Amino acid sequence: MKNLVDKLYENKNLDREELYALLSNFNDVKEYLFKKADEARKSVYGNDVYIRGLIEISNYCENDCFYCGIRKSNNKVCRYRLNKEEIYECAKKGYEIGFRTFVLQGGEDLYFDDDLLVEIIGTLRKTYPDCAITISLGERSKESYLKLFEAGANRYLLRHESINKHHYSKLHPKNLTIDNRVRCLQDLKEIGFQTGAGMMIGSPFQTLENIVDDLMFLKEHNFEMVGIGPFISHKDTPFKDMPNGDVELTLVVLAIVRLLLPNVLLPSTTALNTINGRNMGIKVGCNVIMPNLSPNNVRDKYMLYDNKISSNLEAGENLKSLQNELNLIGYNIVIDRGDYKNN
Ligand code: 5AD
């Protein structure tokens, strides 16, 4: 197995069978894999950890994804949306703390139409010319993506969730298809966004073969950003009784992604932190953390899964403690846009 890790490190690639072998026998080799992933990350990004200020603009959602706590048919959710001024206030607070990337994330909420988003993005672009603007608002038309880009957005996050049609259909209602998801990702790339895809680890019905296919998809499209965290069940969804994803397997997949795509911007996700793996994520190749900048009174309403953390080190206000914690393990938060490095 060690030779597979070496081969992955050297070639930045493995074939399907090799990826499968690594994923199914990671126990003997995982420490070595983690070490090589950390090396790969350090050769491109050093010890730097980039921070992104997450602004959760709406928990209304048109979609009914079976895993997600803010799915349309969950009528227990107390729904909210931020107005323009509230969003600008979050950005202002974030900028003062040291954030140079803002991520506008939300459910697919038709209230945020192109005109409104163009106005918000345009205002942020003018007010903070030195900041990156990331959008994470789901599937839209190419025309819409283009408008957001022209208004000043730089990056777009849209997890593909599963590249396998059959598995995708077990996670989503019929009106959502992997074909349209891939179309969106291609449109985003063509327009010029730094684009992020990704998936959950341990989502219901996911097999190791599915993860292999997802890894090959991420490699093939050479995404600038990849979001991966464990599946965590939410009590008011059809998957309420499904087991959570495994932390170890999540860390192994993150390390493999770092070796397949050494330049990738890879967050140690809130979901991973929820099951106490955030520092581990950073040690195995992650180089991004996305603390929460949403107004305090809505933080507990953006519950994609049970026990999602929004306090302490997940809170944007507590950057100093986060910095201290990362310093202890040899990493350093930088005040920087943290763009994708091409070489
Ligand atoms: N557990 C973990 N991650 C989840 N997401 C949605 N619901 C859950 C859950 N129950 C992830 C999805 C989505 C991202 C915003 O959050 O992958 O793309």
Side-chain angles (χ1 to χ4, degrees):
M1 275 308 127
K2 189 161 172 285
N3 60 328
L4 275 186
V5 176
D6 287 329
K7 187 170 177 191
L8 173 56
Y9 183 86
E10 297 293 318
N11 300 352
K12 307 173 173 67
N13 213 350
L14 286 180
D15 66 27
R16 183 181 301 277
E17 286 68 37
E18 293 167 329
L19 282 171
Y20 187 83
L22 192 52
L23 280 177
S24 44
N25 296 294
F26 66 74
N27 249 325
D28 324 332
V29 78
K30 102 188 155 203
E31 294 307 326
Y32 187 63
L33 171 70
F34 293 163
K35 190 177 122 218
K36 295 307 272 183
D38 189 42
E39 250 176 77
R41 160 257 169 69
K42 283 183 174 150
S43 70
V44 183
Y45 291 102
N47 296 333
D48 291 356
V49 174
Y50 299 135
I51 46 166
R52 321 297 195 196
L54 195 58
I55 306 175
E56 294 159 335
I57 66 173
S58 170
N59 69 356
Y60 283 86
C61 193
E62 283 297 305
N63 289 332
D64 224 5
C65 307
F66 304 143
Y67 46 85
C68 185
I70 62 168
R71 66 199 300 268
K72 185 179 191 169
S73 28
N74 182 4
N75 52 26
K76 294 198 180 150
V77 180
C78 173
R79 304 280 172 176
Y80 76 90
R81 48 175 76 97
L82 303 184
N83 63 35
K84 285 182 287 189
E85 279 66 35
E86 288 171 308
I87 296 173
Y88 302 149
E89 196 47 47
C90 295
K92 180 164 180 281
K93 184 179 80 181
Y95 191 88
E96 284 162 6
I97 304 173
F99 287 92
R100 295 296 177 266
T101 291
F102 305 118
V103 183
L104 305 184
Q105 186 163 77
E108 290 193 19
D109 179 0
L110 300 178
Y111 174 85
F112 283 94
D113 60 11
D114 292 348
D115 288 345
L116 178 55
L117 285 173
V118 162
E119 186 185 344
I120 294 169
I121 293 167
T123 303
L124 292 174
R125 174 52 55 240
K126 256 213 291 257
T127 319
Y128 306 102
D130 54 336
C131 291
I133 301 170
T134 304
I135 308 297
S136 178
L137 296 170
E139 297 185 355
R140 307 176 78 90
S141 67
K142 186 167 189 182
E143 293 67 41
S144 170
Y145 288 146
L146 185 60
K147 285 184 193 166
L148 308 187
F149 186 77
E150 287 175 340
N154 314 96
R155 309 188 188 127
Y156 204 102
L157 300 173
L158 180 66
R159 290 192 182 174
H160 69 283
E161 311 295 356
S162 175
I163 197 62
N164 179 281
K165 273 199 173 67
H166 179 67
H167 182 227
Y168 190 95
S169 72
K170 293 197 153 193
L171 302 179
H172 302 97
K174 281 211 172 56
N175 66 315
L176 291 175
T177 64
I178 184 60
D179 290 345
N180 195 49
R181 192 58 63 105
V182 172
R183 188 274 302 161
C184 289
L185 288 165
Q186 278 161 350
D187 286 348
L188 290 161
K189 283 212 132 197
E190 274 169 33
I191 289 168
F193 280 102
Q194 292 173 43
T195 304
M199 65 282 183
M200 298 175 280
I201 298 302
S203 61
F205 316 110
Q206 185 185 53
T207 61
L208 284 189
E209 284 92 342
N210 292 152
I211 300 179
V212 170
D213 288 341
D214 288 327
L215 288 169
M216 294 181 68
F217 171 75
L218 295 172
K219 173 69 185 175
E220 182 192 340
H221 291 266
N222 197 21
F223 291 105
E224 287 88 2
M225 304 174 286
V226 169
I228 291 176
F231 163 75
I232 301 174
S233 68
H234 185 294
K235 60 184 186 344
D236 303 314
T237 66
F239 289 163
K240 62 178 188 304
D241 297 322
M242 296 294 190
N244 290 347
D246 184 67
V247 189
E248 286 290 295
L249 183 60
T250 305
L251 294 170
V252 165
V253 173
L254 287 168
I256 294 176
V257 169
R258 169 60 64 200
L259 291 170
L260 288 170
L261 302 167
N263 297 53
V264 75
L265 295 165
L266 189 64
S268 187
T269 54
T270 307
L272 186 55
N273 192 24
T274 298
I275 50 180
N276 298 319
R278 199 209 17 240
N279 286 352
M280 279 309 295
I282 295 293
K283 287 190 198 175
V284 306
C286 294
N287 64 332
V288 171
I289 294 182
M290 302 172 69
N292 200 311
L293 285 182
S294 307
N296 275 308
N297 62 322
V298 307
R299 283 189 193 176
D300 60 337
K301 301 192 176 79
Y302 201 84
M303 278 291 161
L304 304 187
Y305 39 83
D306 287 341
N307 307 314
K308 176 170 168 269
I309 310 178
S310 60
S311 59
N312 295 323
L313 298 189
E314 283 299 326
E317 310 80 78
N318 298 338
L319 212 54
K320 283 229 168 61
S321 329
L322 187 60
Q323 174 72 294
N324 290 337
E325 197 179 290
L326 290 171
N327 288 163
L328 286 176
I329 56 167
Y331 299 87
N332 188 38
I333 289 177
V334 288
I335 296 187
D336 193 297
R337 273 176 55 124
D339 280 303
Y340 181 73
K341 287 196 178 155
N342 253 318
N343 43 30

mmCIF file of all heavy atoms in Angstrom, residues 299-332:
data_model
loop_
_atom_site.group_PDB
_atom_site.id
_atom_site.type_symbol
_atom_site.label_atom_id
_atom_site.label_comp_id
_atom_site.label_asym_id
_atom_site.label_seq_id
_atom_site.Cartn_x
_atom_site.Cartn_y
_atom_site.Cartn_z
ATOM 1 N N ARG A 299 -28.048 31.992 13.324
ATOM 2 C CA ARG A 299 -27.061 30.914 13.194
ATOM 3 C C ARG A 299 -27.635 29.535 13.481
ATOM 4 O O ARG A 299 -27.290 28.562 12.823
ATOM 5 C CB ARG A 299 -25.850 31.166 14.093
ATOM 6 C CG ARG A 299 -24.953 32.207 13.497
ATOM 7 C CD ARG A 299 -23.641 32.350 14.216
ATOM 8 N NE ARG A 299 -23.018 33.597 13.731
ATOM 9 C CZ ARG A 299 -21.890 34.078 14.202
ATOM 10 N NH1 ARG A 299 -21.241 33.462 15.151
ATOM 11 N NH2 ARG A 299 -21.396 35.199 13.708
ATOM 12 N N ASP A 300 -28.511 29.461 14.492
ATOM 13 C CA ASP A 300 -29.041 28.135 14.825
ATOM 14 C C ASP A 300 -30.168 27.723 13.878
ATOM 15 O O ASP A 300 -30.714 26.633 13.999
ATOM 16 C CB ASP A 300 -29.521 28.119 16.277
ATOM 17 C CG ASP A 300 -30.613 29.148 16.505
ATOM 18 O OD1 ASP A 300 -30.669 30.126 15.719
ATOM 19 O OD2 ASP A 300 -31.411 28.976 17.440
ATOM 20 N N LYS A 301 -30.506 28.573 12.928
ATOM 21 C CA LYS A 301 -31.586 28.224 11.994
ATOM 22 C C LYS A 301 -31.049 27.611 10.703
ATOM 23 O O LYS A 301 -31.810 27.082 9.903
ATOM 24 C CB LYS A 301 -32.428 29.466 11.668
ATOM 25 C CG LYS A 301 -33.060 30.120 12.893
ATOM 26 C CD LYS A 301 -34.092 31.151 12.492
ATOM 27 C CE LYS A 301 -34.800 31.745 13.698
ATOM 28 N NZ LYS A 301 -33.981 32.774 14.377
ATOM 29 N N TYR A 302 -29.766 27.723 10.491
ATOM 30 C CA TYR A 302 -29.185 27.158 9.268
ATOM 31 C C TYR A 302 -28.641 25.770 9.594
ATOM 32 O O TYR A 302 -27.451 25.515 9.587
ATOM 33 C CB TYR A 302 -28.086 28.086 8.728
ATOM 34 C CG TYR A 302 -27.791 27.884 7.266
ATOM 35 C CD1 TYR A 302 -28.567 28.510 6.289
ATOM 36 C CD2 TYR A 302 -26.760 27.055 6.836
ATOM 37 C CE1 TYR A 302 -28.323 28.324 4.946
ATOM 38 C CE2 TYR A 302 -26.508 26.855 5.485
ATOM 39 C CZ TYR A 302 -27.283 27.497 4.554
ATOM 40 O OH TYR A 302 -27.034 27.304 3.208
ATOM 41 N N MET A 303 -29.560 24.878 9.921
ATOM 42 C CA MET A 303 -29.179 23.544 10.419
ATOM 43 C C MET A 303 -29.293 22.525 9.298
ATOM 44 O O MET A 303 -30.355 21.957 9.064
ATOM 45 C CB MET A 303 -30.128 23.126 11.553
ATOM 46 C CG MET A 303 -29.765 23.711 12.893
ATOM 47 S SD MET A 303 -28.230 23.002 13.524
ATOM 48 C CE MET A 303 -27.818 24.250 14.736
ATOM 49 N N LEU A 304 -28.204 22.289 8.613
ATOM 50 C CA LEU A 304 -28.222 21.300 7.535
ATOM 51 C C LEU A 304 -28.231 19.889 8.120
ATOM 52 O O LEU A 304 -28.702 18.949 7.505
ATOM 53 C CB LEU A 304 -26.997 21.465 6.639
ATOM 54 C CG LEU A 304 -26.788 22.846 6.024
ATOM 55 C CD1 LEU A 304 -25.632 22.806 5.041
ATOM 56 C CD2 LEU A 304 -28.045 23.331 5.318
ATOM 57 N N TYR A 305 -27.666 19.757 9.331
ATOM 58 C CA TYR A 305 -27.599 18.462 10.004
ATOM 59 C C TYR A 305 -27.641 18.718 11.502
ATOM 60 O O TYR A 305 -27.464 19.865 11.953
ATOM 61 C CB TYR A 305 -26.308 17.711 9.623
ATOM 62 C CG TYR A 305 -25.098 18.607 9.515
ATOM 63 C CD1 TYR A 305 -24.380 18.957 10.644
ATOM 64 C CD2 TYR A 305 -24.711 19.140 8.285
ATOM 65 C CE1 TYR A 305 -23.298 19.800 10.553
ATOM 66 C CE2 TYR A 305 -23.630 19.996 8.185
ATOM 67 C CZ TYR A 305 -22.921 20.322 9.320
ATOM 68 O OH TYR A 305 -21.861 21.178 9.225
ATOM 69 N N ASP A 306 -27.866 17.664 12.282
ATOM 70 C CA ASP A 306 -28.012 17.839 13.735
ATOM 71 C C ASP A 306 -26.701 18.334 14.368
ATOM 72 O O ASP A 306 -25.610 17.964 13.929
ATOM 73 C CB ASP A 306 -28.411 16.504 14.384
ATOM 74 C CG ASP A 306 -29.862 16.141 14.069
ATOM 75 O OD1 ASP A 306 -30.623 17.049 13.681
ATOM 76 O OD2 ASP A 306 -30.216 14.957 14.208
ATOM 77 N N ASN A 307 -26.844 19.146 15.402
ATOM 78 C CA ASN A 307 -25.704 19.629 16.194
ATOM 79 C C ASN A 307 -24.681 20.443 15.423
ATOM 80 O O ASN A 307 -23.525 20.517 15.811
ATOM 81 C CB ASN A 307 -24.966 18.446 16.872
ATOM 82 C CG ASN A 307 -25.908 17.582 17.654
ATOM 83 O OD1 ASN A 307 -26.737 18.098 18.396
ATOM 84 N ND2 ASN A 307 -25.829 16.272 17.460
ATOM 85 N N LYS A 308 -25.082 21.025 14.294
ATOM 86 C CA LYS A 308 -24.139 21.864 13.541
ATOM 87 C C LYS A 308 -23.629 22.963 14.464
ATOM 88 O O LYS A 308 -24.391 23.642 15.134
ATOM 89 C CB LYS A 308 -24.824 22.456 12.305
ATOM 90 C CG LYS A 308 -23.949 23.421 11.515
ATOM 91 C CD LYS A 308 -24.595 23.773 10.173
ATOM 92 C CE LYS A 308 -23.914 24.931 9.483
ATOM 93 N NZ LYS A 308 -24.489 26.243 9.820
ATOM 94 N N ILE A 309 -22.325 23.130 14.482
ATOM 95 C CA ILE A 309 -21.722 24.086 15.407
ATOM 96 C C ILE A 309 -21.682 25.471 14.787
ATOM 97 O O ILE A 309 -21.308 25.634 13.637
ATOM 98 C CB ILE A 309 -20.272 23.677 15.739
ATOM 99 C CG1 ILE A 309 -20.221 22.210 16.152
ATOM 100 C CG2 ILE A 309 -19.706 24.551 16.835
ATOM 101 C CD1 ILE A 309 -18.817 21.730 16.437
ATOM 102 N N SER A 310 -22.061 26.479 15.569
ATOM 103 C CA SER A 310 -21.912 27.834 15.051
ATOM 104 C C SER A 310 -21.311 28.732 16.120
ATOM 105 O O SER A 310 -21.216 29.932 15.972
ATOM 106 C CB SER A 310 -23.256 28.396 14.590
ATOM 107 O OG SER A 310 -24.155 28.436 15.672
ATOM 108 N N SER A 311 -20.888 28.123 17.211
ATOM 109 C CA SER A 311 -20.340 28.939 18.296
ATOM 110 C C SER A 311 -18.834 28.698 18.391
ATOM 111 O O SER A 311 -18.248 28.004 17.575
ATOM 112 C CB SER A 311 -20.998 28.535 19.606
ATOM 113 O OG SER A 311 -20.766 27.164 19.842
ATOM 114 N N ASN A 312 -18.230 29.236 19.396
ATOM 115 C CA ASN A 312 -16.804 29.050 19.657
ATOM 116 C C ASN A 312 -15.948 29.248 18.422
ATOM 117 O O ASN A 312 -16.034 30.248 17.757
ATOM 118 C CB ASN A 312 -16.545 27.692 20.298
ATOM 119 C CG ASN A 312 -17.181 27.627 21.662
ATOM 120 O OD1 ASN A 312 -17.186 28.631 22.369
ATOM 121 N ND2 ASN A 312 -17.746 26.508 22.016
ATOM 122 N N LEU A 313 -15.168 28.221 18.090
ATOM 123 C CA LEU A 313 -14.196 28.422 17.023
ATOM 124 C C LEU A 313 -14.831 28.455 15.636
ATOM 125 O O LEU A 313 -14.177 28.810 14.672
ATOM 126 C CB LEU A 313 -13.093 27.351 17.101
ATOM 127 C CG LEU A 313 -12.288 27.387 18.400
ATOM 128 C CD1 LEU A 313 -11.081 26.460 18.317
ATOM 129 C CD2 LEU A 313 -11.821 28.800 18.738
ATOM 130 N N GLU A 314 -16.112 28.099 15.523
ATOM 131 C CA GLU A 314 -16.767 28.250 14.226
ATOM 132 C C GLU A 314 -17.243 29.681 14.011
ATOM 133 O O GLU A 314 -17.645 30.056 12.919
ATOM 134 C CB GLU A 314 -17.969 27.300 14.094
ATOM 135 C CG GLU A 314 -17.607 25.860 13.822
ATOM 136 C CD GLU A 314 -16.841 25.648 12.512
ATOM 137 O OE1 GLU A 314 -17.095 26.366 11.538
ATOM 138 O OE2 GLU A 314 -15.978 24.766 12.481
ATOM 139 N N ALA A 315 -17.232 30.486 15.064
ATOM 140 C CA ALA A 315 -17.749 31.836 14.960
ATOM 141 C C ALA A 315 -16.668 32.786 14.470
ATOM 142 O O ALA A 315 -15.538 32.777 14.960
ATOM 143 C CB ALA A 315 -18.291 32.287 16.314
ATOM 144 N N GLY A 316 -17.030 33.609 13.484
ATOM 145 C CA GLY A 316 -16.071 34.546 12.901
ATOM 146 C C GLY A 316 -15.421 35.445 13.939
ATOM 147 O O GLY A 316 -14.247 35.796 13.831
ATOM 148 N N GLU A 317 -16.179 35.798 14.990
ATOM 149 C CA GLU A 317 -15.665 36.718 16.004
ATOM 150 C C GLU A 317 -14.469 36.132 16.756
ATOM 151 O O GLU A 317 -13.692 36.856 17.351
ATOM 152 C CB GLU A 317 -16.727 37.039 17.060
ATOM 153 C CG GLU A 317 -18.076 37.468 16.564
ATOM 154 C CD GLU A 317 -18.908 36.271 16.131
ATOM 155 O OE1 GLU A 317 -19.456 35.562 16.956
ATOM 156 O OE2 GLU A 317 -18.960 36.071 14.901
ATOM 157 N N ASN A 318 -14.362 34.833 16.750
ATOM 158 C CA ASN A 318 -13.353 34.200 17.601
ATOM 159 C C ASN A 318 -12.097 33.804 16.847
ATOM 160 O O ASN A 318 -11.455 32.807 17.150
ATOM 161 C CB ASN A 318 -13.940 32.968 18.294
ATOM 162 C CG ASN A 318 -15.093 33.338 19.191
ATOM 163 O OD1 ASN A 318 -15.209 34.494 19.606
ATOM 164 N ND2 ASN A 318 -15.957 32.396 19.473
ATOM 165 N N LEU A 319 -11.750 34.618 15.875
ATOM 166 C CA LEU A 319 -10.605 34.308 15.031
ATOM 167 C C LEU A 319 -9.316 34.143 15.821
ATOM 168 O O LEU A 319 -8.482 33.295 15.492
ATOM 169 C CB LEU A 319 -10.441 35.432 14.011
ATOM 170 C CG LEU A 319 -9.896 35.033 12.667
ATOM 171 C CD1 LEU A 319 -10.716 33.913 12.072
ATOM 172 C CD2 LEU A 319 -9.897 36.239 11.730
ATOM 173 N N LYS A 320 -9.180 34.941 16.895
ATOM 174 C CA LYS A 320 -7.945 34.876 17.688
ATOM 175 C C LYS A 320 -7.760 33.491 18.286
ATOM 176 O O LYS A 320 -6.668 32.928 18.242
ATOM 177 C CB LYS A 320 -7.982 35.923 18.812
ATOM 178 C CG LYS A 320 -7.701 37.325 18.319
ATOM 179 C CD LYS A 320 -6.634 38.029 19.174
ATOM 180 C CE LYS A 320 -6.159 39.294 18.482
ATOM 181 N NZ LYS A 320 -7.291 40.260 18.297
ATOM 182 N N SER A 321 -8.842 32.943 18.854
ATOM 183 C CA SER A 321 -8.736 31.604 19.456
ATOM 184 C C SER A 321 -8.424 30.569 18.392
ATOM 185 O O SER A 321 -7.659 29.632 18.623
ATOM 186 C CB SER A 321 -10.039 31.202 20.140
ATOM 187 O OG SER A 321 -10.705 32.314 20.635
ATOM 188 N N LEU A 322 -9.032 30.741 17.222
ATOM 189 C CA LEU A 322 -8.772 29.806 16.143
ATOM 190 C C LEU A 322 -7.297 29.881 15.740
ATOM 191 O O LEU A 322 -6.637 28.853 15.556
ATOM 192 C CB LEU A 322 -9.670 30.166 14.953
ATOM 193 C CG LEU A 322 -9.671 29.220 13.763
ATOM 194 C CD1 LEU A 322 -10.123 27.826 14.178
ATOM 195 C CD2 LEU A 322 -10.620 29.751 12.670
ATOM 196 N N GLN A 323 -6.798 31.118 15.654
ATOM 197 C CA GLN A 323 -5.378 31.307 15.316
ATOM 198 C C GLN A 323 -4.488 30.613 16.347
ATOM 199 O O GLN A 323 -3.573 29.870 15.986
ATOM 200 C CB GLN A 323 -5.070 32.812 15.245
ATOM 201 C CG GLN A 323 -3.618 33.175 15.042
ATOM 202 C CD GLN A 323 -3.107 32.861 13.634
ATOM 203 O OE1 GLN A 323 -3.018 31.705 13.243
ATOM 204 N NE2 GLN A 323 -2.773 33.882 12.868
ATOM 205 N N ASN A 324 -4.804 30.811 17.641
ATOM 206 C CA ASN A 324 -4.001 30.174 18.693
ATOM 207 C C ASN A 324 -4.016 28.670 18.555
ATOM 208 O O ASN A 324 -2.979 28.006 18.672
ATOM 209 C CB ASN A 324 -4.533 30.548 20.080
ATOM 210 C CG ASN A 324 -4.269 32.010 20.389
ATOM 211 O OD1 ASN A 324 -3.360 32.611 19.792
ATOM 212 N ND2 ASN A 324 -5.057 32.593 21.276
ATOM 213 N N GLU A 325 -5.203 28.141 18.310
ATOM 214 C CA GLU A 325 -5.317 26.693 18.216
ATOM 215 C C GLU A 325 -4.501 26.145 17.043
ATOM 216 O O GLU A 325 -3.836 25.115 17.152
ATOM 217 C CB GLU A 325 -6.799 26.321 18.060
ATOM 218 C CG GLU A 325 -7.051 24.874 18.354
ATOM 219 C CD GLU A 325 -8.525 24.508 18.213
ATOM 220 O OE1 GLU A 325 -9.313 24.946 19.063
ATOM 221 O OE2 GLU A 325 -8.862 23.787 17.260
ATOM 222 N N LEU A 326 -4.555 26.856 15.907
ATOM 223 C CA LEU A 326 -3.819 26.384 14.729
ATOM 224 C C LEU A 326 -2.312 26.549 14.914
ATOM 225 O O LEU A 326 -1.525 25.709 14.484
ATOM 226 C CB LEU A 326 -4.291 27.116 13.476
ATOM 227 C CG LEU A 326 -5.704 26.730 13.035
ATOM 228 C CD1 LEU A 326 -6.198 27.639 11.922
ATOM 229 C CD2 LEU A 326 -5.759 25.271 12.582
ATOM 230 N N ASN A 327 -1.905 27.641 15.588
ATOM 231 C CA ASN A 327 -0.482 27.837 15.866
ATOM 232 C C ASN A 327 0.091 26.662 16.645
ATOM 233 O O ASN A 327 1.214 26.220 16.387
ATOM 234 C CB ASN A 327 -0.250 29.124 16.667
ATOM 235 C CG ASN A 327 -0.457 30.382 15.838
ATOM 236 O OD1 ASN A 327 -0.612 31.479 16.355
ATOM 237 N ND2 ASN A 327 -0.481 30.224 14.511
ATOM 238 N N LEU A 328 -0.718 26.136 17.567
ATOM 239 C CA LEU A 328 -0.256 25.021 18.397
ATOM 240 C C LEU A 328 0.104 23.799 17.564
ATOM 241 O O LEU A 328 0.959 23.007 17.937
ATOM 242 C CB LEU A 328 -1.335 24.616 19.415
ATOM 243 C CG LEU A 328 -1.534 25.547 20.598
ATOM 244 C CD1 LEU A 328 -2.706 25.063 21.459
ATOM 245 C CD2 LEU A 328 -0.254 25.622 21.434
ATOM 246 N N ILE A 329 -0.573 23.635 16.416
ATOM 247 C CA ILE A 329 -0.248 22.473 15.585
ATOM 248 C C ILE A 329 0.585 22.868 14.356
ATOM 249 O O ILE A 329 0.752 22.092 13.420
ATOM 250 C CB ILE A 329 -1.520 21.686 15.158
ATOM 251 C CG1 ILE A 329 -2.527 22.589 14.424
ATOM 252 C CG2 ILE A 329 -2.182 21.033 16.370
ATOM 253 C CD1 ILE A 329 -3.639 21.812 13.718
ATOM 254 N N GLY A 330 1.097 24.116 14.377
ATOM 255 C CA GLY A 330 2.074 24.488 13.355
ATOM 256 C C GLY A 330 1.534 25.153 12.098
ATOM 257 O O GLY A 330 2.207 25.196 11.075
ATOM 258 N N TYR A 331 0.319 25.675 12.187
ATOM 259 C CA TYR A 331 -0.247 26.359 11.013
ATOM 260 C C TYR A 331 -0.605 27.791 11.379
ATOM 261 O O TYR A 331 -0.632 28.155 12.563
ATOM 262 C CB TYR A 331 -1.477 25.604 10.491
ATOM 263 C CG TYR A 331 -1.131 24.201 10.068
ATOM 264 C CD1 TYR A 331 -1.139 23.158 10.996
ATOM 265 C CD2 TYR A 331 -0.732 23.925 8.765
ATOM 266 C CE1 TYR A 331 -0.785 21.876 10.628
ATOM 267 C CE2 TYR A 331 -0.375 22.647 8.386
ATOM 268 C CZ TYR A 331 -0.409 21.619 9.321
ATOM 269 O OH TYR A 331 -0.044 20.360 8.956
ATOM 270 N N ASN A 332 -0.899 28.586 10.357
ATOM 271 C CA ASN A 332 -1.036 30.006 10.584
ATOM 272 C C ASN A 332 -2.130 30.614 9.702
ATOM 273 O O ASN A 332 -2.093 30.471 8.480
ATOM 274 C CB ASN A 332 0.322 30.643 10.241
ATOM 275 C CG ASN A 332 0.356 32.097 10.620
ATOM 276 O OD1 ASN A 332 -0.196 32.496 11.652
ATOM 277 N ND2 ASN A 332 0.967 32.900 9.772
#
